[in-house]
């Protein structure tokens, strides 16, 4: 992870090619999970804006506070049928 601060993204794959240790790192797992959560937030906000309009500050803060990736995935399904930000955020 620290290497990524000094080395360009394009060079990282060649550096870590064949190095299984990085994929077995708990820090790596945490970084991947955080990236998945961040991506889910970004996509739900983007899709929600198109479907419901811009969220109010409280709705956006509530969405960004969700760190449970499984719940975010259920919300990605629910956005297809939800009628409002409130209904989407009520997804368990």
């Amino acid at each position: 992870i620290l290497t990524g601060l000094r080395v360009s993204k394009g060079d990282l794959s060649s550096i870590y090619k064949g190095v299984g240790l990085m994929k077995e790192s708990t820090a790596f797992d945490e970084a991947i999970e955080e990236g998945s959560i961040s991506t889910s937030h970004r996509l739900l906000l983007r899709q929600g804006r198109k479907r419901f309009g811009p969220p109010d500050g409280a709705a956006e803060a509530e969405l960004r506070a969700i760190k449970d990736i499984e719940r975010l995935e259920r919300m990605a399904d629910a956005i297809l049928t939800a009628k409002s930000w409130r209904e989407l955020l009520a997804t368990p």
Side-chain angles (χ1 to χ4, degrees):
I1 290 173
L2 294 175
T3 303
L5 296 173
R6 297 269 185 204
V7 177
S8 73
K9 187 176 181 178
D11 293 335
L12 284 176
S13 63
S14 64
I15 291 172
Y16 287 119
K17 187 174 187 174
V19 180
L21 179 63
M22 184 61 177
K23 291 183 180 175
E24 297 170 10
S25 163
T26 55
F28 179 77
D29 292 342
E30 185 69 27
I32 293 299
E33 184 173 337
E34 184 59 36
S36 295
I37 291 168
S38 177
T39 298
S40 294
H41 290 157
R42 194 172 62 250
L43 289 174
L44 285 167
L45 285 165
R46 182 181 178 133
Q47 291 175 335
R49 283 184 185 105
K50 288 185 181 251
R51 185 156 173 83
F52 316 124
D56 62 27
E60 184 169 348
E62 186 177 340
L63 175 65
R64 290 187 184 278
I66 299 169
K67 304 299 182 197
D68 178 354
I69 193 68
E70 287 84 14
R71 180 177 177 203
L72 291 166
E73 288 171 352
R74 289 190 302 273
M75 291 173 77
D77 292 335
I79 203 165
L80 298 172
T81 56
K83 305 229 182 320
S84 68
W85 282 106
R86 282 290 122 220
E87 190 175 329
L88 180 64
L89 290 167
T91 303

